[in-house]
Amino acid sequence: MQVFDKIISDRGSRYAVSGGPAADRAAVAAMLAELTRVKRFQKATHHSWAAILGGEGVKDDDGESGAGQLILQMLERAGLQDHVVIVTRWYGGKHLGGDRFRHVADAVRHYLRETGAG
């Protein structure tokens, strides 16, 4: 799993993005468990993720409504199969409105660019 931490900061909220190959939901769950073993990531507010596993899109917003769908759409456009991307947010106390979707998209773009996956 690759982790890119502290990539976006806005009004107190901070974002990280991580991911790696995943063949099934069990692999996704294992990666989330590995990520949240790190104390800093345990304290995060949201771990939104998406993957295309065996040709089927799966996602979880983890309370960040719409984030999983946005990640999934970006993975579909990039043609990234059997790979999970997780966007982590630490809520900073101020609502970001629509900017939160821009930050999720920027985080996924960062991951795709840095890993060469997209």
Side-chain angles (χ1 to χ4, degrees):
M1 174 170 45
Q2 292 190 273
V3 179
F4 303 94
D5 197 1
K6 300 177 183 172
I7 59 168
I8 299 168
S9 181
D10 181 7
R11 290 169 265 177
S13 286
R14 294 174 322 280
Y15 288 81
V17 65
S18 41
D24 52 30
R25 280 183 175 263
V28 172
M31 206 170 298
L32 285 164
E34 179 183 339
L35 187 64
T36 56
R37 275 196 286 277
V38 177
K39 191 170 192 172
R40 171 169 159 64
F41 282 83
Q42 286 174 8
K43 296 180 178 187
T45 314
H46 308 285
H47 297 287
S48 305
W49 62 268
I52 302 169
L53 306 174
E56 179 186 343
V58 291
K59 61 184 172 48
D60 185 358
D61 292 336
D62 192 31
E64 187 81 288
S65 184
Q69 183 62 38
L70 177 59
I71 299 166
L72 181 59
Q73 288 171 347
M74 293 182 75
L75 296 181
E76 288 170 342
R77 271 188 296 230
L80 191 57
Q81 300 275 326
D82 299 320
H83 202 100
V84 64
V85 174
I86 306 161
V87 176
T88 300
R89 177 183 178 194
W90 291 264
Y91 178 64
K94 292 192 174 125
H95 291 285
L96 302 180
D99 287 341
R100 67 191 175 90
F101 292 110
R102 182 171 47 87
H103 298 324
V104 169
D106 287 346
V108 175
R109 275 194 283 280
H110 180 93
Y111 181 85
L112 294 173
R113 183 176 59 252
E114 292 296 316
T115 61

